[in-house]
């Protein structure tokens, strides 16, 4: 299962490829993940990605319209690929960018999640009860 360090490394790896890029399309091949991928996820189409963040084991892709919340579940992963890369068996979602690249979500067990949420994300039921980030200044001896 991807843990916080793996999610942080993924965030650091994909951020340079996503930030300031415009989303051309969202291709959902299989919406049956841990929770069904909502149709409103397509609200990201036409949006420019402002930032990629991590909150606990959730990856947050920020746009002016809202946030894509990604969780890897037990076996999920993200890869940056050329848009013409052939699709493999467990490639469920593609975030297609204007620059000809794609952020591809692969999840053999489908325990992960791909959700959309309007701002502010702090109110999302999956994020509202999380403690302080261990890599932030808010995580200090007093808070602990």
């Amino acid at each position: 299962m991807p843990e916080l360090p793996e999610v942080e490394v993924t965030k650091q790896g994909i951020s340079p490829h996503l930030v300031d890029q415009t989303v051309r399309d969202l291709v959902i091949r299989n919406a049956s993940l841990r929770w069904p991928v909502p149709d409103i996820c397509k609200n990201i189409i036409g949006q420019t990605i402002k930032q990629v963040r991590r909150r606990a084991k959730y990856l947050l892709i920020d746009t002016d319209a809202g946030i894509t919340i990604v969780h890897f579940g037990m076996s999920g992963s993200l890869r940056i690929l050329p848009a013409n890369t052939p699709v493999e068996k467990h490639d469920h979602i593609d975030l297609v960018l204007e620059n000809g690249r794609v952020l591809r979500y692969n999840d053999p067990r489908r325990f992960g999640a791909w959700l959309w949420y309007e701002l502010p994300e702090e109110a999302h039921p999956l994020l509202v009860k999380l403690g302080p980030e261990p890599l932030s200044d808010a995580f200090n001896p007093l808070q602990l």
Side-chain angles (χ1 to χ4, degrees), residues 14-30:
I14 67 173
S15 290
H17 301 279
L18 297 181
V19 174
D20 296 328
Q21 295 298 318
T22 300
V23 177
R24 187 178 70 208
D25 198 6
L26 181 70
V27 179
I28 302 170
R29 288 182 204 82
N30 187 344

Side-chain angles (χ1 to χ4, degrees), residues 77-136:
S77 66
L78 290 169
R79 294 172 290 153
I80 299 287
L81 302 165
N84 61 355
T85 302
V87 175
E88 296 181 8
K89 182 176 182 180
H90 301 292
D91 291 341
H92 302 306
I93 298 174
D94 280 357
L95 185 69
V96 183
L97 304 173
E98 290 286 343
N99 68 1
R101 311 281 282 169
V102 63
L103 176 69
R104 184 162 288 167
Y105 179 72
N106 179 286
D107 189 355
R109 293 185 177 176
R110 296 187 327 217
F111 290 159
W114 192 282
L115 305 169
W116 176 260
Y117 198 68
E118 306 289 325
L119 302 173
E121 84 274 357
E122 295 87 11
H124 191 280
L126 294 172
L127 306 176
V128 71
K129 295 183 182 181
L130 296 174
E133 279 296 316
L135 301 179
S136 75

Side-chain angles (χ1 to χ4, degrees), residues 26-102:
L26 181 70
V27 179
I28 302 170
R29 288 182 204 82
N30 187 344
S32 298
L33 300 178
R34 173 178 285 178
W35 300 288
V37 178
D39 283 340
I40 60 171
C41 277
K42 295 205 173 199
N43 288 350
I44 197 170
I45 296 172
Q47 294 293 313
T48 298
I49 297 170
K50 302 294 183 190
Q51 181 178 346
V52 180
R53 300 178 291 132
R54 182 195 49 74
R55 183 68 176 104
K57 292 196 257 180
Y58 295 95
L59 195 70
L60 309 176
I61 302 171
D62 295 342
T63 69
D64 285 335
I67 300 165
T68 301
I69 301 172
V70 179
H71 192 280
F72 298 134
M74 299 275 300
S75 58
S77 66
L78 290 169
R79 294 172 290 153
I80 299 287
L81 302 165
N84 61 355
T85 302
V87 175
E88 296 181 8
K89 182 176 182 180
H90 301 292
D91 291 341
H92 302 306
I93 298 174
D94 280 357
L95 185 69
V96 183
L97 304 173
E98 290 286 343
N99 68 1
R101 311 281 282 169
V102 63

